[in-house]
Amino acid sequence: MRSVRSAELAALTDEHFREEAASFDGWSCKPIEIDDDLCLVGGHARYQAALRLGHPVIPSVRRKHPGNGGRFPDRLLIEVTRKCNLSCVFCPVHAEGQPPSIPEEDMDLDVFRKVMDECRTYPQVELLMHFYGEPFMNKKLFEYLDHLRPAPELRPVWMSTNGRLLDGDKIARLLDSPITYLQVSVNGISEDKYSRLMVNSDFGVVVHNVEKLLDAKARSGRRTPFIRLQMIELDQTHEDAMAFVRRWGEAADIVHVNAFEKQGGRLPDYHTMRDGRPETRRMCRRLERSDMVVLANGEVTVCVYDYDGVLSLGNVKDLTMLQLWQEGFLAFRERHRRNEWTAIPLCSGCSDWWL
């Protein structure tokens, strides 16, 4: 089945799509459903209507990954480096004036290999090769990626970059890598707004790098990595959401306007998106989804906002991932199921538990 060029729904709401939907006969703004290979698995009638009307981008959601049935994490975030080349205003780690909470270092390659070798036992692990650092700040990044090659069961494999360091050599090697999804955080459609958010970057350079990436992939004839371009919705970017989709929709595989996240209550609430958070607090959705994070220093935490490891379960240098899962994560998740998050400092002030 052919792949679908889509706009994933996050901060993109019915309001954003109202003008676009006016050109669709009977279009309801309900998204189509795609799988990890960007193949259509739901909403066929809406997809056919979009094709007939020549609409280049279609709102979509991805079908839930099957997971490991509770035996092991379903999603594993691997911080291959804590180093970053930018000081983004919405980053609690690298924003200007913030002292480093843990050393700005690369993950030891042997530690990475240890984690990946254990993951091979569990065929449905979804890997995210990024956390708070910029992956390309790790000079040996492609040695890490090469270690994934004998493991086709480890998919999808994600990597996210700010795009500033995407030169021709890196692009060529990325297109020949095991990465399934490459996400580039463009975060704007104009130099003025972009430069205020992505401090120390260069909008023109990033746009040029993205265009080179998209052109190289088109000429290569490869399906993967799927290129996903992202903008975070803030006060400064809210009105640009649909312009961002139009700008990149026909070239990228996915365009995504992401909900602003307050990082467990550690960032100010300067977003304008419609809040879809349920009125009644319940357990963290990411705990339900079985996410775990391995920080660059080897500490393993239960939370994607725990950039300094305050909820660490232990260090993977000393324990296996399975031990950390069975002896730490499952007990922590059970505390949430008993509604005990108010006793956990990082959780009690979190407003992103529903995302």
Side-chain angles (χ1 to χ4, degrees):
M1 185 179 293
R2 62 168 290 179
S3 60
V4 177
R5 201 167 300 279
S6 65
E8 289 189 314
L9 289 178
L12 286 177
T13 64
D14 288 356
E15 178 183 352
H16 283 108
F17 278 96
R18 189 172 295 134
E19 179 183 345
E20 304 296 306
S23 64
F24 283 72
D25 183 19
W27 184 265
S28 66
C29 290
K30 287 184 62 179
I32 61 172
E33 188 177 16
I34 55 178
D35 63 13
D36 285 331
D37 291 319
L38 300 197
C39 291
L40 185 68
V41 292
H44 292 73
R46 291 190 294 278
Y47 178 59
Q48 292 302 321
L51 289 181
R52 286 195 304 272
L53 293 166
H55 203 59
V57 180
I58 308 170
S60 69
V61 293
R62 282 187 306 125
R63 175 166 287 181
K64 186 180 184 301
H65 199 265
N68 282 293
R71 299 179 299 125
F72 199 72
D74 290 341
R75 295 205 326 164
L76 195 59
L77 287 81
I78 310 290
E79 188 176 48
V80 293
T81 186
R82 175 51 67 100
K83 302 171 186 175
C84 192
N85 54 334
L86 305 187
S87 299
C88 302
V89 299
F90 46 77
C91 176
V93 177
H94 297 288
E96 289 186 313
Q98 294 296 321
S101 53
I102 67 172
E104 295 192 353
E105 60 186 0
D106 297 335
M107 177 177 284
D108 185 87
L109 184 54
D110 288 336
V111 172
F112 176 80
R113 287 172 175 155
K114 176 187 176 184
V115 174
M116 292 302 99
D117 289 345
E118 187 175 359
C119 286
R120 284 181 169 83
T121 310
Y122 302 92
Q124 296 295 337
V125 177
E126 184 172 8
L127 294 178
L128 289 79
M129 301 287 291
H130 56 267
F131 193 43
Y132 280 94
E134 164 55 44
F136 286 110
M137 292 293 286
N138 185 329
K139 302 300 183 183
K140 298 181 179 180
L141 175 64
F142 288 99
E143 291 186 42
Y144 292 66
L145 297 183
D146 284 342
H147 194 67
L148 302 178
R149 289 188 186 279
E153 69 276 11
L154 292 178
R155 68 181 315 268
V157 180
W158 290 74
M159 192 170 75
S160 183
T161 174
N162 58 47
R164 182 66 177 82
L165 303 176
L166 272 179
D167 58 28
D169 178 66
K170 293 185 181 73
I171 289 172
R173 298 180 74 178
L174 277 171
L175 293 178
D176 190 42
S177 77
I179 297 295
T180 315
Y181 287 87
L182 178 66
Q183 175 173 282
V184 186
S185 296
V186 180
N187 286 324
I189 59 170
S190 69
E191 169 68 38
D192 177 56
K193 292 183 180 180
Y194 177 90
S195 61
R196 281 182 277 153
L197 298 175
M198 310 287 281
V199 180
N200 298 330
S201 190
D202 186 306
F203 181 70
V205 170
V206 170
V207 169
H208 178 65
N209 291 348
V210 169
E211 289 173 341
K212 284 196 303 182
L213 170 67
L214 294 169
D215 180 65
K217 185 192 171 186
R219 287 186 287 105
S220 75
R222 297 178 60 99
R223 290 193 72 238
T224 60
F226 297 119
I227 308 302
R228 182 179 190 260
L229 302 185
Q230 172 178 282
M231 182 180 80
I232 296 177
E233 189 189 40
L234 303 164
D235 286 337
Q236 299 95 321
T237 61
H238 175 76
E239 63 186 19
D240 299 330
M242 286 312 305
F244 180 79
V245 172
R246 295 189 193 99
R247 169 66 177 86
W248 296 108
E250 293 195 62
D253 296 296
I254 300 175
V255 285
H256 184 73
V257 179
N258 196 38
F260 169 68
E261 300 174 33
K262 293 169 62 179
Q263 307 292 317
R266 298 182 182 193
L267 289 178
D269 190 5
Y270 54 123
H271 69 300
T272 58
M273 63 165 284
R274 183 175 64 187
D275 191 351
R277 180 175 50 201
E279 292 184 6
T280 303
R281 173 71 192 259
R282 56 188 298 273
M283 74 170 290
C284 176
R285 193 170 180 180
R286 288 185 169 98
L287 284 175
E288 286 183 320
R289 196 170 59 193
S290 301
D291 291 2
M292 285 181 74
V293 182
V294 186
L295 303 180
N297 62 1
E299 295 294 319
V300 177
T301 181
V302 299
C303 178
V304 297
Y305 304 128
D306 186 16
Y307 54 82
D308 45 7
V310 298
L311 299 178
S312 176
L313 305 173
N315 199 296
V316 75
K317 297 175 185 177
D318 308 313
L319 301 165
T320 67
M321 289 299 299
L322 186 61
Q323 286 175 310
L324 293 161
W325 167 259
Q326 293 178 334
E327 300 170 13
F329 182 93
L330 294 179
F332 188 90
R333 185 168 65 181
E334 191 58 34
R335 292 184 67 188
H336 263 249
R337 286 177 172 162
R338 295 196 301 265
N339 300 337
E340 295 177 4
W341 51 76
T342 56
I344 306 169
L346 187 58
C347 302
S348 62
C350 181
S351 60
D352 299 323
W353 53 269
W354 62 282
L355 293 172

